[in-house]
Amino acid sequence: GAVVSQHPSRVICKSGTSVKIECRSLDFQATTMFWYRQFPKQSLMLMATSNEGSKATYEQGVEKDKFLINHASLTLSTLTVTSAHPEDSSFYICSADPPGTSYNEQFFGPGTRLTVL
Amino acid sequence: AQSVTQPDIHITVSEGASLELRCNYSYGATPYLFWYVQSPGQGLQLLLKYFSGDTLVQGIKGFEAEFKRSQSSFNLRKPSVHWSDAAEYFCAVGGGTDKLIFGTGTRLQVFP
């Protein structure tokens, strides 16, 4: 099946610094990837849709200047949390929709736990 | 508007007992429905999906789900639960866009 990886799996940073999270599709090319945020014991909330070669589409209420998304290639999307603060601490999960699969069939990465001190 | 409701926040069952996790959805057209499982600190793994056809869908790990249009439901079932099934389960619906809408999840606890 399609495999999506994320790096790092866990990161701790100081308040005010920026953190970059990578999402890679290992065995397929993905023109579209998705970034979700999950608070403890809560559901996944879609933050943005990452489109290869064009700007990401952000969901309402998500600050585009704070959560920078770059989909530089067909196998890599990055999420940069700029000037991170403790309230940005969360579990970030990416997914990708491989070509040729059924509509909306997304494959998820293992997630990145961000802790901002 | 699209929405997914999982009425049970937390369910506890004994190992070997049967399981049913409820999922109700609201969607204007025929939905694409999914069940995902998430172990602590992990990403989501697809258990099964429904797009069309047979309303009883078989998935991995012995799970199945039944789409009931009249009840707007897509409940997940397993005849005999194993301790390794303890996890968080999410129902999701997709449709005319690429977005998936997730329910709030049901945490399954299994007692030996």
Side-chain angles (χ1 to χ4, degrees):
Chain A
V3 180
V4 176
S5 71
Q6 280 184 244
H7 178 79
S9 58
R10 186 181 295 266
V11 58
I12 301 173
C13 69
K14 292 182 179 179
S15 186
T17 61
S18 294
V19 174
K20 180 185 285 188
I21 303 170
E22 294 184 347
C23 177
R24 292 183 186 273
S25 56
L26 297 186
D27 51 1
F28 64 96
Q29 293 184 330
T31 55
T32 303
M33 290 183 174
F34 305 88
W35 286 97
Y36 295 85
R37 182 173 181 176
Q38 185 180 30
F39 290 102
K41 299 185 179 181
Q42 294 189 28
S43 188
L44 281 74
M45 299 300 296
L46 180 65
M47 299 174 65
T49 302
S50 171
N51 305 298
E52 189 271 335
S54 64
K55 291 183 180 179
T57 305
Y58 289 82
E59 295 300 300
Q60 190 171 12
V62 177
E63 300 175 61
K64 8 180 119 172
D65 294 333
K66 179 158 192 71
F67 298 100
L68 300 179
I69 291 173
N70 183 20
H71 199 144
S73 75
L74 288 172
T75 59
L76 173 64
S77 174
T78 60
L79 169 68
T80 301
V81 184
T82 62
S83 186
H85 288 92
E87 57 266 29
D88 299 324
S89 298
S90 192
F91 194 54
Y92 292 88
I93 305 177
C94 72
S95 71
D97 185 359
T101 58
S102 303
Y103 192 62
N104 268 339
E105 186 169 355
Q106 297 179 21
F107 290 84
F108 288 80
T112 297
R113 171 78 58 196
L114 170 63
T115 303
V116 184
L117 302 176
Chain B
Q2 298 179 42
S3 67
V4 177
T5 302
Q6 292 181 246
D8 305 304
I9 296 173
H10 187 196
I11 284 184
T12 302
V13 299
S14 298
E15 191 169 19
S18 63
L19 172 71
E20 182 169 32
L21 303 183
R22 295 183 290 165
C23 173
N24 293 96
Y25 66 90
S26 174
Y27 192 72
T30 299
Y32 299 118
L33 292 158
F34 306 83
W35 273 101
Y36 288 90
V37 60
Q38 184 182 35
S39 297
Q42 302 294 315
L44 275 69
Q45 181 182 22
L46 180 67
L47 287 174
L48 46 77
K49 59 187 183 283
Y50 171 79
F51 294 147
S52 64
D54 192 347
T55 57
L56 185 61
V57 179
Q58 301 298 320
I60 62 171
K61 304 185 179 185
F63 286 93
E64 65 176 28
E66 186 170 11
F67 170 59
K68 292 186 177 180
R69 184 189 300 275
S70 61
Q71 298 178 21
S72 297
S73 70
F74 188 57
N75 294 348
L76 181 71
R77 300 193 294 250
K78 186 168 184 177
S80 178
V81 171
H82 189 263
W83 65 266
S84 60
D85 293 324
E88 189 89 18
Y89 291 81
F90 292 97
C91 181
V93 64
T97 71
D98 289 333
K99 300 178 187 179
L100 280 179
I101 306 298
F102 285 86
T104 49
T106 297
R107 176 167 295 221
L108 174 65
Q109 199 167 7
V110 181
F111 281 117

